[in-house]
Each structure stands twice: as structure tokens, then as C-alpha cells.
Amino acid sequence: QVQLVESGGGLVQAGGSLRLSCAASGRTFSSYSMGWFRQAPGKEREFVAVTTRSSSTYYADSVKGRFTISRDKAKNTVYLQMNSLKPEDTAAYYCAAGRPVGLNIYSTGQYDYWGQGTPVTVSS
């Protein structure tokens, strides 16, 4: 199994930046696709970004050009660098691990392990 712990959330003004971290346990970290999802109050959890087992990256249209996902295999850690933050980015951000196939990388149901979430608030 895989245990995930997110950190780095907080309060930031619009236009500012934050870097989220997701520390993973286990010996097969590189065998998993690692994704970031977010959930605002009253809304469904939505896809944000993913780095696949082959280290390809994909982003939701809403964050493309502003967010960057990266993986440090030596530290068993995945990062989400968030720049030019907007109030609509406010949400709880979750790290997830799984072995999705093909375009299933975008689906929450294809991820088996989840962190507890870290809140991000962007003020106007």
C-alpha cells in the first residue's frame, strides 16, 4: 500500500504563488501515476494535474500555463507549483496515487490512494 501526506497549503493573495508537496511511502513510488485533485465546498472533486509512470504530464485547462507538476523520485515526493493564483483556485487540494490506463488518468475513480488534503485559499 501507499501512504500520502500533503503539505504546503495556506493563504495567498491573488497573483501569488504556492508550492504543494506530497510525500509518499512505499518501495514502488515510480510505478504509480501521481495526480493532484481539488475540491471546493459544494462541488465535486476535480482533476488538476498528473505525472504518469513514464513522467508525462497533463493539466486541466483551468490551470494550464500556471501550474507545474513534478516528481522527485529520490525523495518519493511530488510537487505542484502554483503560480498566478486566482480566487477560483480556492479549494482543498488532494494528492492521489494509482495505476490508471490511458485517458483514465483524469478520473478520480482510477486512483487507489489519497492524502488527507491541504487547504488553499486565494484572496482577492
Side-chain angles (χ1 to χ4, degrees), residues 8-29:
L11 175 65
V12 65
Q13 293 183 342
S17 298
L18 284 175
R19 189 180 73 162
L20 306 183
S21 299
C22 174
S25 65
R27 296 288 302 276
T28 59
F29 176 77

Side-chain angles (χ1 to χ4, degrees), residues 8 10 17 26-27 50-51 63 70 72 78 92-93 95 114 123:
S17 298
R27 296 288 302 276
V50 63
T51 178
V63 307
S70 60
D72 188 335
V78 175
Y93 283 71
C95 179
W114 294 83
S123 62

Side-chain angles (χ1 to χ4, degrees), residues 37-40 43-47 92 94-95 108 114-115:
F37 295 77
R38 66 187 183 186
Q39 187 168 21
K43 294 187 176 181
E44 296 293 316
R45 191 168 298 183
E46 66 176 0
F47 169 80
Y94 297 86
C95 179
T108 59
W114 294 83

Side-chain angles (χ1 to χ4, degrees), residues 16-121:
S17 298
L18 284 175
R19 189 180 73 162
L20 306 183
S21 299
C22 174
S25 65
R27 296 288 302 276
T28 59
F29 176 77
S30 62
S31 297
Y32 290 88
S33 292
M34 302 295 298
W36 285 97
F37 295 77
R38 66 187 183 186
Q39 187 168 21
K43 294 187 176 181
E44 296 293 316
R45 191 168 298 183
E46 66 176 0
F47 169 80
V48 175
V50 63
T51 178
T52 70
R53 286 167 282 177
S54 61
S55 298
S56 297
T57 59
Y58 302 89
Y59 299 90
D61 289 341
S62 59
V63 307
K64 196 171 299 180
R66 300 187 298 121
F67 291 10
T68 303
I69 188 170
S70 60
R71 183 198 300 254
D72 188 335
K73 294 181 179 180
K75 296 182 178 180
N76 288 343
T77 300
V78 175
Y79 303 95
L80 184 68
Q81 178 66 46
M82 305 185 295
N83 298 327
S84 302
L85 283 162
K86 305 175 180 179
E88 50 262 45
D89 295 318
T90 296
Y93 283 71
Y94 297 86
C95 179
R99 290 174 172 168
V101 178
L103 296 180
N104 288 332
I105 57 175
Y106 302 108
S107 175
T108 59
Q110 298 302 309
Y111 293 83
D112 299 316
Y113 307 100
W114 294 83
Q116 81 287 352
T118 185
V120 172
T121 301

